[in-house]
Amino acid sequence: MDKQLRAFLAIARSGTTTAAAKELNVAQSAVTKRISNLEHELGTALFFREYRGMSLTEAGKLLMVRATRIEREYRDGKDEISAIASAGLSNLRIGAGPVFYLNWAAPLIGMLKQTYPGLTIDLRTMDNEEPASQLMSGDIDVYLGMIPEDKIDESISTSVVLQIEHGIVMRADDPNSQRENVDPGRLKHYDWVSFVADPVTERSIETYTLPKGSKSSLITIRTTSFTTGIQLVKSGSFIMSAPLQLERFVKKDGLVIRPVEKGMPRRDAGVYARKSSLGFGAVKTVRRFFDEVRV
């Protein structure tokens, strides 16, 4: 991609020529010259030069939209060409929500390493709020989990594997655990742990348990750590919302998970990847793995 646009994007994102030079691994004077040349070419200032850094002018904001699109197209083009020219990636960056990394991360990585012994894998556990932007920006190659449709664009391919529904995790000696389905209205006096950032489930819990129009919240702790949530429930002071697909892990700790009597929202979850990377052998292997476990 054009050096001047790289310098422009680096400054726009970091706010200083010093940080941009470090990111681009060039001298600060080279970054300054590239921006000066670009502004001369366009006939207008792109940045306000301020004491503490640089910020975009109106012209700079317009160019930022176009430059970001060019950057994405350039990256996607490299992906597509690399898929044709080689066997695929040398490093596969996977983001995964809890249902996927707890149930399938180990066998998936085993299959990838067996198929591509030289492949390195970066597995990141992520909640539902992070992956869309990281996938579209190229920070991760594949996401396994849930992404709302309004968070992704036409550059992303989606392959649905299952529908995720939350239930309630509680101690086995809790009277409510004896019911096949739990009435959330009976749980309003508990302290709640919300496992992973999931506003949809949180709203459902509070709709079922709090008086209409209440501005209170039953959620007293939010965590992305399944182990932490389980330990809190075992202490006897909390109950936790978690996907029903994690039942076998709940049982290992002597706890139970029950569906909600009125039902929680059921949402599609699966494999998300940039369309430009679908030709990579490693990405194909991930999709093929989940074709076999689709439920």
Side-chain angles (χ1 to χ4, degrees), residues 102 106 143 166 173:
L102 286 169
Y143 179 68
H166 274 234
D173 59 1

Side-chain angles (χ1 to χ4, degrees), residues 11 17 32 35-36 39 44-55 57:
I11 295 175
T17 54
T32 302
I35 292 303
S36 177
E39 289 181 324
T44 186
L46 298 172
F47 294 98
F48 293 113
R49 275 73 170 174
E50 300 161 342
Y51 176 71
R52 294 188 176 181
M54 299 170 70
S55 60
T57 63

Side-chain angles (χ1 to χ4, degrees), residues 139-161:
D139 290 335
I140 58 174
D141 302 302
V142 176
Y143 179 68
L144 312 173
M146 294 187 297
I147 301 181
E149 289 185 8
D150 62 352
K151 296 292 185 181
I152 55 176
D153 60 23
E154 68 283 351
S155 69
I156 303 301
S157 170
T158 305
S159 178
V160 176
V161 175

Side-chain angles (χ1 to χ4, degrees), residues 75-90 276-277 279-281:
R75 186 204 63 234
D76 288 351
K78 286 177 63 179
D79 284 351
E80 291 168 350
I81 292 168
S82 179
I84 295 171
S86 69
L89 297 161
S90 60
S276 61
S277 69
F280 289 125

